Amino acid sequence: YSIPQIDKPATSYTAQPIVNAFRGPGQSIYMAMDGDGAQSFLWHSPDNGISWHDMGGRTGGRHSTIIPLDDKGKLLSLGGKNSDVDGWTPLNISTDWGATWSESKASPFPPLGSVQRPSIIRLASGHLIFVSDSYQHKKKIAPPEEWEYDDNCFVAISKDNGDTWHIKPIPVQLPQRHRLEHPSLGYATVRQAPNGVIHILTTANYPPIHYEFNEAWIWS
């Protein structure tokens, strides 16, 4: 075993990886990490994790969750704490594997704060699934008035690569520890098992919750 090597000293970063990684062509791996302030970026390894390179671009939010939209370098970045666009969580697009990102625009989801992180994956069906919170706890900022789902934690699913979303509140919610007013997923992680069951793991609440459901439940 060897220690992963970076090609040059890291700059404009915060030493906090994001639970978000995906494969590119060949042996490529892309891993998200917090940038400086309200930004995130991607590390790229062309050799299955032996060496790494900062792709250079920065998203419009810390703790951004990032997903490839095709195999040619188009990426979607959603969310991130401590930033918003007109009261909504930032959305950024890259067409070059994260070397550059578009200017932030408003997504259809509320923004997040400290001890909150969204998560996104592509399901076996090809649809995108996104999980997040509605209420920004640290600064006690409620979602925009146009948001229809109160302060609920929620799951959102998209059939068209994130152009439109179907949103559903998650039942059986708990607040964060020490912030007892509103439910939260904390640092959320969503994954899908080989049998198709979707899993969400929460943190920062007590006890943490492990949700299990299928795609049909989201659409129901």
Side-chain angles (χ1 to χ4, degrees):
Y1 298 100
S2 63
I3 297 174
Q5 302 294 312
I6 59 175
D7 58 354
K8 59 183 178 180
T11 60
S12 300
Y13 74 97
T14 301
Q16 184 166 351
I18 303 167
V19 59
N20 186 198
F22 54 88
R23 289 280 186 177
Q27 291 187 314
S28 287
I29 302 173
Y30 292 86
M31 182 190 75
M33 186 170 176
D34 286 343
D36 186 21
Q39 299 177 328
S40 301
F41 69 101
L42 287 173
W43 289 105
H44 171 232
S45 171
D47 49 20
N48 222 23
I50 297 172
S51 60
W52 294 87
H53 168 72
D54 177 350
M55 287 303 296
R58 296 295 187 267
T59 71
R62 194 170 170 185
H63 296 0
S64 297
T65 186
I66 302 170
I67 193 81
L69 298 181
D70 61 26
D71 59 359
K72 303 183 187 309
K74 187 175 184 180
L75 310 175
L76 168 67
S77 169
L78 279 171
K81 73 173 189 176
N82 300 338
S83 59
D84 69 272
V85 178
D86 298 327
W88 301 92
T89 203
L91 182 155
N92 302 95
I93 295 289
S94 174
T95 57
D96 49 18
W97 297 107
T100 60
W101 289 92
S102 67
E103 184 177 352
S104 295
K105 69 175 186 178
S107 75
F109 309 116
L112 299 180
S114 296
V115 200
Q116 293 176 290
R117 183 191 59 216
S119 186
I120 190 172
I121 61 169
R122 188 177 297 278
L123 299 173
S125 65
H127 302 156
L128 300 182
I129 182 172
F130 176 80
V131 300
S132 189
D133 291 349
S134 292
Y135 191 93
Q136 191 176 143
H137 302 288
K138 182 78 171 180
K139 297 180 181 179
K140 297 184 178 181
I141 298 175
E145 291 183 3
E146 297 87 350
W147 179 249
E148 301 176 4
Y149 305 96
D150 196 36
D151 64 350
N152 289 288
C153 312
F154 65 91
V155 55
I157 192 166
S158 174
K159 291 182 176 180
D160 52 16
N161 254 0
D163 289 338
T164 60
W165 295 89
H166 170 77
I167 300 171
K168 183 167 186 171
I170 297 174
V172 190
Q173 305 176 71
L174 290 177
Q176 286 191 16
R177 287 174 288 182
H178 313 303
R179 299 186 179 102
L180 303 179
E181 298 90 353
H182 305 278
S184 175
L185 300 180
Y187 294 126
T189 301
V190 61
R191 294 293 184 266
Q192 186 177 32
N195 64 357
V197 174
I198 300 164
H199 300 259
I200 299 175
L201 299 178
T202 79
T203 64
N205 41 30
Y206 186 81
I209 301 178
H210 177 189
Y211 296 97
E212 296 183 3
F213 50 89
N214 59 22
E215 188 171 340
W217 175 82
I218 307 174
W219 294 108
S220 66

Coordinates of all heavy atoms in Angstrom, one line a residue, residues 82-164:
N82 N -24.1 27.6 3.9 CA -23.7 29.0 4.1 C -23.7 29.7 2.8 O -22.9 30.7 2.5 CB -22.2 29.0 4.6 CG -22.1 28.4 6.0 OD1 -23.2 28.3 6.7 ND2 -21.0 28.0 6.4
S83 N -24.6 29.4 1.9 CA -24.8 30.1 0.6 C -26.2 29.9 0.1 O -26.8 28.8 0.4 CB -23.7 29.7 -0.4 OG -23.8 28.4 -0.7
D84 N -26.7 30.8 -0.7 CA -28.0 30.6 -1.3 C -28.1 31.5 -2.5 O -27.3 32.5 -2.7 CB -29.1 30.9 -0.3 CG -29.2 32.4 0.0 OD1 -28.6 32.9 0.9 OD2 -30.0 33.1 -0.7
V85 N -29.1 31.3 -3.4 CA -29.4 32.1 -4.5 C -30.9 32.5 -4.4 O -31.7 31.6 -4.6 CB -29.1 31.4 -5.9 CG1 -29.5 32.3 -7.0 CG2 -27.7 31.0 -6.0
D86 N -31.1 33.8 -4.1 CA -32.5 34.2 -3.9 C -33.3 33.4 -2.9 O -34.5 33.1 -3.0 CB -33.3 34.3 -5.2 CG -32.6 35.2 -6.2 OD1 -32.1 36.2 -5.8 OD2 -32.7 34.9 -7.4
G87 N -32.6 32.9 -1.8 CA -33.2 32.1 -0.8 C -33.2 30.6 -1.1 O -33.7 29.8 -0.2
W88 N -32.7 30.1 -2.2 CA -32.7 28.7 -2.5 C -31.2 28.2 -2.6 O -30.3 28.9 -2.8 CB -33.3 28.5 -3.9 CG -34.8 29.0 -3.9 CD1 -35.2 30.2 -4.3 CD2 -35.9 28.2 -3.5 NE1 -36.6 30.3 -4.2 CE2 -37.0 29.1 -3.7 CE3 -36.1 26.9 -3.1 CZ2 -38.3 28.7 -3.5 CZ3 -37.4 26.5 -2.8 CH2 -38.5 27.4 -3.0
T89 N -31.1 26.9 -2.4 CA -29.8 26.3 -2.4 C -29.1 26.4 -3.8 O -29.8 26.3 -4.8 CB -29.8 24.8 -2.0 OG1 -28.5 24.4 -1.5 CG2 -30.2 23.9 -3.1
P90 N -27.8 26.6 -3.9 CA -27.2 26.8 -5.2 C -27.2 25.6 -6.1 O -27.1 24.5 -5.6 CB -25.8 27.2 -4.9 CG -25.8 27.6 -3.4 CD -26.9 26.8 -2.8
L91 N -27.3 25.8 -7.4 CA -27.1 24.8 -8.4 C -26.0 25.3 -9.4 O -26.1 26.4 -9.9 CB -28.4 24.6 -9.2 CG -28.5 23.5 -10.3 CD1 -29.9 23.0 -10.4 CD2 -28.0 24.0 -11.6
N92 N -25.1 24.4 -9.7 CA -24.0 24.7 -10.6 C -23.8 23.5 -11.6 O -24.1 22.4 -11.3 CB -22.7 24.9 -9.9 CG -22.7 26.0 -8.9 OD1 -22.9 25.7 -7.7 ND2 -22.5 27.2 -9.3
I93 N -23.4 23.8 -12.8 CA -23.2 22.8 -13.9 C -21.7 23.0 -14.3 O -21.2 24.1 -14.6 CB -24.1 23.0 -15.1 CG1 -25.6 22.8 -14.7 CG2 -23.7 22.1 -16.2 CD1 -25.9 21.3 -14.4
S94 N -21.1 21.8 -14.5 CA -19.8 21.8 -15.2 C -19.9 20.9 -16.4 O -20.6 19.9 -16.4 CB -18.7 21.2 -14.2 OG -17.5 21.0 -14.9
T95 N -19.2 21.3 -17.5 CA -19.1 20.5 -18.7 C -17.7 19.9 -18.9 O -17.4 19.4 -20.0 CB -19.6 21.3 -19.9 OG1 -18.7 22.5 -20.0 CG2 -21.0 21.7 -19.7
D96 N -16.8 20.1 -17.9 CA -15.4 19.7 -18.1 C -14.9 19.0 -16.9 O -13.8 19.2 -16.4 CB -14.5 20.8 -18.5 CG -14.7 22.1 -17.6 OD1 -15.2 21.9 -16.5 OD2 -14.3 23.2 -18.0
W97 N -15.7 18.1 -16.3 CA -15.4 17.3 -15.1 C -14.9 18.1 -13.9 O -14.1 17.7 -13.1 CB -14.3 16.3 -15.4 CG -14.6 15.3 -16.5 CD1 -14.2 15.2 -17.8 CD2 -15.5 14.2 -16.3 NE1 -14.8 14.1 -18.4 CE2 -15.6 13.5 -17.5 CE3 -16.2 13.7 -15.2 CZ2 -16.3 12.3 -17.7 CZ3 -17.0 12.5 -15.4 CH2 -17.0 11.8 -16.6
G98 N -15.5 19.4 -13.8 CA -15.2 20.2 -12.6 C -14.0 21.1 -12.8 O -13.6 21.8 -11.8
A99 N -13.4 21.2 -14.0 CA -12.4 22.2 -14.2 C -12.9 23.6 -14.1 O -12.3 24.6 -13.6 CB -11.7 22.0 -15.5
T100 N -14.2 23.8 -14.5 CA -14.9 25.1 -14.4 C -16.4 24.8 -14.0 O -16.9 23.7 -14.3 CB -14.9 25.9 -15.7 OG1 -15.5 25.2 -16.7 CG2 -13.4 26.3 -16.1
W101 N -17.0 25.7 -13.4 CA -18.4 25.6 -13.1 C -19.2 26.8 -13.5 O -18.7 27.9 -13.5 CB -18.6 25.4 -11.5 CG -18.1 24.1 -11.0 CD1 -16.9 23.8 -10.5 CD2 -18.9 22.9 -11.0 NE1 -16.8 22.5 -10.2 CE2 -18.0 21.9 -10.4 CE3 -20.2 22.5 -11.3 CZ2 -18.4 20.6 -10.2 CZ3 -20.6 21.2 -11.1 CH2 -19.7 20.3 -10.6
S102 N -20.5 26.6 -13.9 CA -21.3 27.7 -14.2 C -21.6 28.6 -13.0 O -21.4 28.2 -11.9 CB -22.7 27.2 -14.8 OG -23.4 26.5 -13.7
E103 N -22.0 29.8 -13.3 CA -22.5 30.7 -12.2 C -23.6 30.1 -11.4 O -24.5 29.4 -12.0 CB -22.9 32.0 -12.8 CG -23.3 33.1 -11.7 CD -23.6 34.4 -12.3 OE1 -23.4 34.6 -13.6 OE2 -24.1 35.3 -11.6
S104 N -23.7 30.2 -10.2 CA -24.7 29.6 -9.3 C -26.1 30.2 -9.8 O -26.3 31.4 -10.0 CB -24.5 29.9 -7.9 OG -23.3 29.3 -7.4
K105 N -27.1 29.3 -9.8 CA -28.5 29.7 -10.0 C -29.3 29.0 -8.9 O -28.8 28.0 -8.3 CB -29.0 29.4 -11.4 CG -29.1 27.9 -11.7 CD -29.7 27.8 -13.1 CE -30.1 26.3 -13.4 NZ -30.7 26.2 -14.8
A106 N -30.5 29.4 -8.8 CA -31.4 28.8 -7.7 C -31.9 27.4 -8.1 O -32.4 27.2 -9.2 CB -32.6 29.7 -7.5
S107 N -31.7 26.5 -7.2 CA -32.3 25.2 -7.4 C -33.7 25.2 -6.8 O -34.1 26.2 -6.3 CB -31.5 24.1 -6.6 OG -31.7 24.2 -5.2
P108 N -34.5 24.1 -6.9 CA -35.8 24.1 -6.3 C -35.8 23.7 -4.8 O -36.9 23.4 -4.3 CB -36.6 23.1 -7.2 CG -35.5 22.2 -7.7 CD -34.3 23.0 -7.8
F109 N -34.7 23.7 -4.2 CA -34.6 23.3 -2.8 C -34.1 24.3 -1.8 O -33.3 25.2 -2.2 CB -33.6 22.1 -2.8 CG -33.9 21.0 -3.8 CD1 -33.0 20.7 -4.8 CD2 -35.1 20.3 -3.7 CE1 -33.3 19.7 -5.7 CE2 -35.4 19.3 -4.7 CZ -34.5 19.0 -5.7
P110 N -34.5 24.3 -0.6 CA -34.0 25.3 0.4 C -32.5 25.1 0.7 O -32.0 24.0 0.5 CB -34.9 24.9 1.7 CG -36.0 24.2 1.2 CD -35.5 23.4 0.0
P111 N -31.9 26.2 1.2 CA -30.5 26.2 1.5 C -30.2 25.5 2.9 O -31.1 25.3 3.7 CB -30.1 27.6 1.5 CG -31.3 28.3 2.0 CD -32.5 27.5 1.4
L112 N -28.9 25.2 3.1 CA -28.6 24.5 4.3 C -27.5 25.3 5.1 O -27.0 26.2 4.6 CB -28.0 23.1 4.0 CG -28.9 22.1 3.3 CD1 -28.3 20.8 3.0 CD2 -30.2 21.9 4.1
G113 N -27.3 24.8 6.4 CA -26.3 25.5 7.2 C -25.4 24.5 7.8 O -25.2 23.4 7.3
S114 N -24.8 24.8 9.0 CA -23.9 23.9 9.6 C -24.5 22.6 10.1 O -25.7 22.6 10.4 CB -23.2 24.6 10.9 OG -22.5 25.7 10.5
V115 N -23.8 21.5 10.1 CA -24.2 20.2 10.4 C -25.4 19.8 9.5 O -26.3 19.1 10.0 CB -24.6 20.1 11.9 CG1 -24.6 18.7 12.4 CG2 -23.7 20.9 12.8
Q116 N -25.4 20.2 8.3 CA -26.3 19.7 7.3 C -25.6 19.5 6.0 O -24.8 20.4 5.6 CB -27.5 20.8 7.1 CG -28.3 21.0 8.3 CD -29.4 22.1 8.1 OE1 -29.0 23.2 8.1 NE2 -30.6 21.7 8.0
R117 N -25.9 18.4 5.3 CA -25.3 18.1 4.0 C -26.2 17.3 3.2 O -26.7 16.3 3.7 CB -24.0 17.4 4.2 CG -23.2 17.1 2.9 CD -22.1 16.1 3.2 NE -22.5 14.9 3.7 CZ -21.9 14.2 4.6 NH1 -20.8 14.6 5.1 NH2 -22.4 13.0 5.0
P118 N -26.5 17.7 2.0 CA -27.4 16.9 1.1 C -26.6 15.7 0.5 O -25.4 15.6 0.6 CB -27.8 17.9 0.0 CG -26.6 18.8 -0.1 CD -26.0 18.9 1.3
S119 N -27.3 14.8 -0.2 CA -26.7 13.7 -0.9 C -27.5 13.3 -2.1 O -28.7 13.4 -2.1 CB -26.7 12.5 0.1 OG -25.9 11.4 -0.5
I120 N -26.8 13.0 -3.2 CA -27.5 12.6 -4.4 C -26.8 11.4 -5.1 O -25.5 11.2 -4.9 CB -27.4 13.8 -5.4 CG1 -28.3 13.6 -6.6 CG2 -26.0 14.1 -5.9 CD1 -28.5 14.8 -7.5
I121 N -27.5 10.5 -5.7 CA -27.0 9.4 -6.4 C -27.9 9.2 -7.7 O -29.0 9.7 -7.7 CB -26.9 8.1 -5.6 CG1 -28.3 7.7 -5.1 CG2 -25.9 8.2 -4.5 CD1 -28.3 6.2 -4.5
R122 N -27.4 8.3 -8.6 CA -28.2 7.9 -9.7 C -28.7 6.4 -9.4 O -27.9 5.6 -9.0 CB -27.4 7.9 -11.0 CG -28.3 7.6 -12.2 CD -27.6 7.7 -13.5 NE -27.1 9.0 -13.8 CZ -27.8 10.0 -14.3 NH1 -29.0 9.8 -14.6 NH2 -27.2 11.2 -14.5
L123 N -30.0 6.2 -9.5 CA -30.5 4.9 -9.2 C -30.3 3.9 -10.3 O -30.0 4.4 -11.4 CB -32.0 5.0 -8.9 CG -32.4 5.9 -7.6 CD1 -33.9 6.1 -7.6 CD2 -31.8 5.3 -6.4
A124 N -30.5 2.7 -10.1 CA -30.4 1.7 -11.1 C -31.4 1.9 -12.3 O -31.1 1.6 -13.4 CB -30.7 0.3 -10.6
S125 N -32.5 2.6 -12.0 CA -33.5 3.0 -13.0 C -33.0 4.1 -14.0 O -33.6 4.3 -15.0 CB -34.8 3.4 -12.4 OG -34.5 4.6 -11.7
G126 N -31.9 4.7 -13.6 CA -31.4 5.9 -14.3 C -31.8 7.2 -13.7 O -31.3 8.3 -14.1
H127 N -32.8 7.2 -12.8 CA -33.3 8.4 -12.2 C -32.3 8.9 -11.1 O -31.6 8.1 -10.5 CB -34.7 8.2 -11.6 CG -35.7 7.6 -12.6 ND1 -36.8 6.9 -12.2 CD2 -35.7 7.7 -13.9 CE1 -37.5 6.6 -13.2 NE2 -36.9 7.1 -14.3
L128 N -32.4 10.2 -10.9 CA -31.6 10.8 -9.8 C -32.4 10.9 -8.6 O -33.6 11.2 -8.6 CB -31.1 12.3 -10.2 CG -30.3 12.4 -11.4 CD1 -29.9 13.9 -11.6 CD2 -29.0 11.6 -11.4
I129 N -31.8 10.7 -7.4 CA -32.4 10.8 -6.1 C -31.6 11.8 -5.3 O -30.4 11.6 -5.2 CB -32.7 9.5 -5.4 CG1 -33.5 9.7 -4.1 CG2 -31.4 8.7 -5.2 CD1 -33.9 8.4 -3.4
F130 N -32.3 12.7 -4.6 CA -31.6 13.8 -3.8 C -32.3 13.8 -2.5 O -33.6 13.8 -2.4 CB -31.8 15.1 -4.5 CG -31.2 16.3 -3.8 CD1 -29.9 16.6 -3.8 CD2 -32.1 17.2 -3.2 CE1 -29.4 17.7 -3.1 CE2 -31.7 18.3 -2.5 CZ -30.3 18.6 -2.5
V131 N -31.6 13.9 -1.4 CA -32.2 14.0 0.0 C -31.6 15.2 0.7 O -30.4 15.5 0.5 CB -32.0 12.7 0.8 CG1 -32.6 11.5 0.1 CG2 -30.5 12.4 1.0
S132 N -32.4 15.9 1.5 CA -31.9 17.1 2.2 C -32.9 17.5 3.2 O -33.9 16.8 3.4 CB -31.7 18.2 1.1 OG -31.0 19.3 1.7
D133 N -32.6 18.6 3.9 CA -33.4 19.2 4.9 C -34.1 20.5 4.3 O -33.7 21.0 3.3 CB -32.6 19.7 6.1 CG -32.1 18.5 6.9 OD1 -32.5 17.4 6.7 OD2 -31.2 18.8 7.8
S134 N -35.2 20.9 5.0 CA -35.9 22.1 4.6 C -35.5 23.3 5.4 O -35.6 24.5 4.9 CB -37.4 21.9 4.7 OG -37.9 21.0 3.8
Y135 N -35.1 23.1 6.6 CA -34.9 24.3 7.5 C -33.4 24.4 7.8 O -32.7 23.4 8.2 CB -35.7 24.0 8.8 CG -35.8 25.2 9.7 CD1 -36.9 26.1 9.6 CD2 -34.8 25.5 10.7 CE1 -37.0 27.2 10.5 CE2 -34.9 26.6 11.5 CZ -36.0 27.4 11.4 OH -36.1 28.5 12.3
Q136 N -32.9 25.6 7.8 CA -31.5 25.9 8.1 C -31.3 26.2 9.6 O -31.7 27.2 10.1 CB -31.0 27.1 7.3 CG -29.5 27.3 7.3 CD -29.0 28.4 6.4 OE1 -28.1 29.1 6.8 NE2 -29.6 28.6 5.3
H137 N -30.8 25.2 10.3 CA -30.8 25.2 11.8 C -29.9 26.3 12.4 O -30.3 27.0 13.3 CB -30.5 23.8 12.3 CG -31.4 22.8 11.8 ND1 -32.7 22.6 12.2 CD2 -31.2 21.8 10.9 CE1 -33.2 21.6 11.6 NE2 -32.3 21.1 10.8
K138 N -28.7 26.3 11.9 CA -27.7 27.2 12.6 C -28.1 28.6 12.7 O -28.0 29.3 13.7 CB -26.4 27.0 11.9 CG -25.2 27.8 12.5 CD -24.6 27.1 13.7 CE -23.3 27.8 14.1 NZ -22.7 27.1 15.3
K139 N -28.6 29.1 11.5 CA -29.0 30.5 11.5 C -30.5 30.7 11.7 O -31.1 31.8 11.5 CB -28.6 31.1 10.2 CG -27.1 31.1 10.0 CD -26.6 31.7 8.7 CE -25.1 31.7 8.6 NZ -24.6 32.3 7.3
K140 N -31.2 29.6 11.9 CA -32.7 29.6 12.1 C -33.4 30.3 11.0 O -34.3 31.1 11.2 CB -33.0 30.3 13.5 CG -32.4 29.5 14.7 CD -32.8 30.1 16.0 CE -32.3 29.3 17.1 NZ -32.7 29.8 18.5
I141 N -33.0 29.8 9.8 CA -33.6 30.4 8.6 C -34.6 29.4 8.0 O -34.3 28.3 7.7 CB -32.6 30.7 7.5 CG1 -31.6 31.8 8.0 CG2 -33.2 31.2 6.2 CD1 -30.4 32.1 7.1
A142 N -35.9 29.8 7.9 CA -36.9 29.0 7.4 C -36.8 28.9 5.8 O -36.2 29.8 5.2 CB -38.3 29.5 7.7
P143 N -37.4 27.9 5.2 CA -37.4 27.8 3.7 C -38.2 29.0 3.1 O -39.0 29.6 3.8 CB -38.0 26.5 3.4 CG -38.8 26.2 4.6 CD -38.1 26.8 5.8
P144 N -37.9 29.2 1.8 CA -38.7 30.3 1.1 C -40.2 30.1 1.2 O -40.7 28.9 1.3 CB -38.2 30.2 -0.3 CG -36.9 29.5 -0.2 CD -37.0 28.6 0.9
E145 N -41.0 31.1 1.1 CA -42.4 31.0 1.2 C -43.0 30.1 0.1 O -44.0 29.5 0.3 CB -43.0 32.4 1.1 CG -42.8 33.3 2.3 CD -43.5 34.6 2.2 OE1 -44.2 34.8 1.2 OE2 -43.3 35.5 3.1
E146 N -42.3 30.0 -1.0 CA -42.9 29.2 -2.1 C -42.7 27.7 -1.9 O -43.2 26.9 -2.6 CB -42.2 29.6 -3.4 CG -42.4 31.0 -3.9 CD -41.4 32.0 -3.3 OE1 -40.7 31.6 -2.3 OE2 -41.4 33.2 -3.7
W147 N -41.8 27.4 -0.9 CA -41.6 25.9 -0.6 C -42.9 25.3 0.0 O -43.4 25.9 1.0 CB -40.4 25.8 0.4 CG -40.1 24.5 0.9 CD1 -40.2 23.9 2.1 CD2 -39.5 23.4 0.1 NE1 -39.8 22.7 2.2 CE2 -39.3 22.3 0.9 CE3 -39.0 23.3 -1.2 CZ2 -38.7 21.1 0.5 CZ3 -38.5 22.1 -1.7 CH2 -38.3 21.0 -0.8
E148 N -43.3 24.2 -0.5 CA -44.6 23.6 -0.1 C -44.5 22.6 1.0 O -45.6 22.0 1.3 CB -45.3 23.0 -1.3 CG -45.5 24.0 -2.5 CD -46.1 23.4 -3.7 OE1 -46.4 22.2 -3.6 OE2 -46.2 24.1 -4.7
Y149 N -43.3 22.3 1.5 CA -43.2 21.1 2.4 C -42.8 21.5 3.8 O -42.1 20.7 4.5 CB -42.2 20.2 1.7 CG -42.6 19.8 0.3 CD1 -42.1 20.5 -0.8 CD2 -43.6 18.8 0.1 CE1 -42.5 20.2 -2.1 CE2 -44.0 18.5 -1.2 CZ -43.5 19.2 -2.3 OH -43.9 18.9 -3.5
D150 N -43.1 22.7 4.3 CA -42.9 23.1 5.7 C -41.4 22.9 6.0 O -40.5 23.2 5.2 CB -43.8 22.3 6.6 CG -43.9 23.0 8.0 OD1 -43.9 24.2 8.1 OD2 -44.0 22.2 9.0
D151 N -41.1 22.4 7.2 CA -39.7 22.2 7.6 C -39.2 20.7 7.5 O -38.3 20.3 8.2 CB -39.5 22.7 9.0 CG -40.3 21.9 10.1 OD1 -41.1 21.1 9.7 OD2 -40.0 22.2 11.3
N152 N -39.9 19.9 6.7 CA -39.7 18.5 6.7 C -38.3 18.2 6.0 O -37.9 18.8 5.1 CB -40.8 17.8 5.9 CG -42.1 17.8 6.6 OD1 -42.3 17.1 7.6 ND2 -43.1 18.6 6.2
C153 N -37.7 17.1 6.4 CA -36.7 16.4 5.6 C -37.4 15.8 4.4 O -38.6 15.4 4.5 CB -36.0 15.3 6.4 SG -35.5 15.7 8.1
F154 N -36.7 15.7 3.3 CA -37.4 15.2 2.1 C -36.5 14.4 1.2 O -35.3 14.5 1.3 CB -38.0 16.4 1.3 CG -36.9 17.3 0.8 CD1 -36.4 17.2 -0.5 CD2 -36.4 18.4 1.5 CE1 -35.4 18.0 -1.0 CE2 -35.4 19.2 1.0 CZ -34.9 19.0 -0.3
V155 N -37.2 13.7 0.3 CA -36.5 13.0 -0.8 C -37.1 13.5 -2.1 O -38.3 13.8 -2.2 CB -36.7 11.5 -0.7 CG1 -38.1 11.1 -0.6 CG2 -36.0 10.7 -1.8
A156 N -36.2 13.7 -3.1 CA -36.7 14.2 -4.4 C -36.1 13.3 -5.5 O -35.0 12.8 -5.4 CB -36.2 15.7 -4.6
I157 N -36.9 13.1 -6.5 CA -36.5 12.2 -7.6 C -36.7 12.8 -8.9 O -37.7 13.6 -9.1 CB -37.2 10.8 -7.5 CG1 -36.6 9.8 -8.4 CG2 -38.7 11.0 -7.7 CD1 -37.1 8.4 -8.1
S158 N -35.8 12.6 -9.9 CA -35.9 13.2 -11.2 C -35.7 12.2 -12.3 O -34.8 11.4 -12.2 CB -34.8 14.3 -11.3 OG -34.8 14.8 -12.6
K159 N -36.6 12.2 -13.3 CA -36.5 11.4 -14.5 C -35.7 12.0 -15.6 O -35.4 11.3 -16.6 CB -37.9 11.0 -15.0 CG -38.7 10.1 -14.1 CD -40.0 9.8 -14.7 CE -40.8 8.8 -13.9 NZ -42.1 8.4 -14.5
D160 N -35.4 13.3 -15.5 CA -34.8 14.0 -16.6 C -33.5 14.7 -16.2 O -33.3 15.9 -16.6 CB -35.8 15.0 -17.2 CG -36.4 16.0 -16.1 OD1 -35.9 16.0 -15.0 OD2 -37.5 16.6 -16.4
N161 N -32.7 14.0 -15.5 CA -31.3 14.5 -15.2 C -31.3 15.8 -14.4 O -30.5 16.7 -14.5 CB -30.5 14.7 -16.4 CG -29.4 13.6 -16.6 OD1 -29.3 12.7 -15.8 ND2 -28.6 13.7 -17.7
G162 N -32.4 16.0 -13.6 CA -32.4 17.1 -12.7 C -33.1 18.4 -13.2 O -33.2 19.4 -12.6
D163 N -33.8 18.3 -14.4 CA -34.5 19.4 -14.9 C -35.8 19.6 -14.1 O -36.2 20.8 -13.9 CB -34.9 19.2 -16.4 CG -33.6 19.3 -17.3 OD1 -32.6 19.9 -16.9 OD2 -33.7 18.8 -18.4
T164 N -36.5 18.6 -13.7 CA -37.7 18.6 -12.9 C -37.6 17.6 -11.8 O -36.9 16.6 -11.9 CB -38.9 18.4 -13.7 OG1 -38.9 17.1 -14.3 CG2 -39.1 19.5 -14.8

